[in-house]
Amino acid sequence: MIADDVRRHFTKSFDGEPTLVVSAAGRVNLIGEHVDYNGGEALPIAIQRRTAVAVRLRPGAAATRINSGGTGGVLTLDHARLARKRKWTDYVAGVLDQLIGRGIDVPGLDVAVASDIPSGSGLSSSAALEVAFGFAVETLLGLHTDPVALALMCQNAERQFVGVPCGAMDQLAAACGVEGHALHMQFAPATVCAVPFTEHVLVVDTAVPRTLRGSAYEERVKECAAALVAVQRVAPTVPTLAAATMEQLAQAELPDVQRRRARHVIAECERVRQTVATLAAGHQFPGHLAVASHESLRDDYECSSPELDWVVQHAMRASGISGARLTGAGWGGCAVVFGEAGALESLAASLPADYSQAIGHRPRTWVVSADAGARIES
Ligand code: GLA
């Protein structure tokens, strides 16, 4: 258990026991991709992969000591001089910066971190770290904010301190997850509504380095912002790109690339609404909408990869599988596959060898289901 690991790790690093151990979840998005920063809606789940944080106050100190058990040893973050260092501690420093910026007198802390969320595969290990750390500090100091506010503060940390112009989906999932439920999120303003979802989901990590990801993500954010400006010229009251209609899009006469990005956003939000209605009516996840989402991400949003397309195509040929799509930002990372539990298990067993043969390296696979978000472990 990751919570036991972090407690042991704390004791080894700092002598003595932590006061508090908390954890937050990684996530996979079921449907609703690249819509959060466009004011749309999405449907992720928190998963059983988690990041745990163990903390204790350092009375009289104005610096936080932190150890992830990696090769870096114990690192120190001076609260008076927090600066981006382009390493994993930026996620923690960013949250400290937010808390201090809100006038909260955060004392020095000893912090140990442990995680079984693979980093760099698109399961939001960074959001889980931000949320777990923010939750630990708020709990330790007796500050009672709600999970949505905690997630939005962590999103600000990532945008302002780390410098990634992300939406709020990952942090909201890490904070607000509910076991046995998908999270129907709206983003303008941010709300989360739990929808019963007890199915298993197969996650396939294509294990492809994501070098392009950061800059391409930023480019999409800018393209969507430009599309909104153009739509608002013909429909000034449209508040977000997700709120535009296909008719308004046609009237705006956008350049081809912007038009396709906007078409994805508008259609994807409609697919989220249909999925939520299907699940709320007690039916299985509508796999065909996952496939439609993937095609739209591949063709209109251009954020798929040959490996992700291979996984989706391969999965759709297996019996008992109802749908598959890329999940998260894309350009590598993970795909999700929907279907009967037995079919997912046998695909998880057979896919790696087929993938290695076709692509040349091994993927990773996990069968997951909806789990809790941020929680106190001990
Ligand atoms: C990344 C971002 C999220 C979201 C997804 C795409 O995970 O952090 O905010 O935009 O990509 O849906």
Side-chain angles (χ1 to χ4, degrees):
M1 267 279 294
I2 205 71
D4 299 332
D5 292 351
V6 85
R7 179 173 277 280
R8 266 195 302 276
H9 172 43
F10 184 97
T11 310
K12 242 201 272 161
S13 309
F14 301 113
D15 275 346
E17 293 289 311
T19 322
L20 175 72
V21 177
V22 307
S23 71
R27 66 99 187 89
V28 290
N29 189 13
L30 304 182
I31 195 159
E33 220 64 81
H34 287 284
V35 293
D36 55 354
Y37 53 85
N38 286 305
E41 42 197 299
L43 190 71
I45 56 172
I47 61 174
Q48 287 84 8
R49 301 253 150 187
R50 309 186 71 82
T51 293
V53 166
V55 285
R56 188 180 61 194
L57 290 176
R58 295 176 67 202
T64 285
R65 297 189 299 181
I66 183 161
N67 191 353
S68 74
T71 48
V74 176
L75 302 164
T76 301
L77 304 172
D78 181 343
H79 292 199
R81 275 180 293 150
L82 294 169
R84 177 161 46 162
K85 302 224 166 90
R86 300 195 183 279
K87 49 182 170 189
W88 69 273
T89 47
D90 285 352
Y91 300 110
V92 173
V95 173
L96 279 172
D97 180 61
Q98 286 291 320
L99 289 163
I100 294 166
R102 280 153 208 233
I104 296 163
D105 182 15
V106 185
L109 305 161
D110 282 332
V111 182
V113 178
S115 181
D116 60 9
I117 308 172
S119 70
S121 56
L123 300 179
S124 293
S125 58
S126 49
L129 174 58
E130 291 156 0
V131 169
F133 178 70
F135 184 55
V137 177
E138 288 187 345
T139 308
L140 202 62
L141 300 185
L143 309 167
H144 292 294
T145 48
D146 76 327
V148 171
L150 168 65
L152 296 179
M153 176 185 76
C154 292
Q155 180 205 9
N156 280 334
E158 184 134 357
R159 291 176 68 93
Q160 293 164 13
F161 193 91
V162 183
V164 178
C166 64
M169 175 174 73
D170 304 345
Q171 290 81 5
L172 283 169
C176 306
V178 181
E179 199 182 333
H181 291 73
L183 307 166
H184 182 200
M185 297 178 178
Q186 318 247 9
F187 297 103
T191 59
V192 179
C193 178
V195 182
F197 180 73
T198 53
E199 290 175 41
H200 289 169
V201 176
L202 170 62
V203 181
V204 180
D205 179 4
T206 58
V208 172
R210 308 167 308 153
T211 39
L212 239 183
R213 230 174 187 178
S215 56
Y217 186 89
E218 217 170 310
E219 191 181 287
R220 293 295 177 279
V221 173
K222 286 185 185 147
E223 287 163 352
C224 287
L228 175 60
V229 169
V231 168
Q232 285 173 333
R233 269 190 222 116
V234 296
T237 57
V238 169
T240 63
L241 193 55
T245 62
M246 290 294 186
E247 292 71 32
Q248 288 163 338
L249 193 57
Q251 283 160 16
E253 295 183 350
L254 295 173
D256 179 57
V257 166
Q258 283 177 27
R259 185 181 56 82
R260 287 187 291 119
R261 307 300 188 241
R263 185 167 66 184
H264 164 75
V265 170
I266 296 167
E268 185 78 350
C269 291
E270 180 53 32
R271 285 188 283 272
V272 172
R273 287 187 285 275
Q274 285 178 27
T275 303
V276 170
T278 306
L279 293 177
H283 301 301
Q284 294 292 104
F285 189 93
H288 68 282
L289 294 178
V291 174
S293 166
H294 184 79
E295 288 167 354
S296 172
L297 289 160
R298 182 192 63 200
D299 301 338
D300 275 354
Y301 221 72
E302 295 179 282
C303 65
S304 188
S305 69
E307 295 83 4
L308 287 164
D309 294 342
W310 186 95
V311 171
V312 169
Q313 260 183 12
H314 182 82
M316 291 313 295
R317 284 202 293 266
S319 73
I321 299 300
S322 63
R325 58 181 288 276
L326 73 81
T327 187
W331 298 288
C334 292
V336 280
V337 183
F338 302 93
E340 295 158 15
L344 296 176
E345 289 292 351
S346 56
L347 187 61
S350 67
L351 184 138
D354 293 332
Y355 181 90
S356 309
Q357 205 178 16
I359 306 291
H361 62 263
R362 278 189 89 74
R364 292 184 286 187
T365 59
W366 305 276
V367 175
V368 300
S369 57
D371 198 14
R375 67 179 179 213
I376 294 175
E377 298 284 353
S378 59

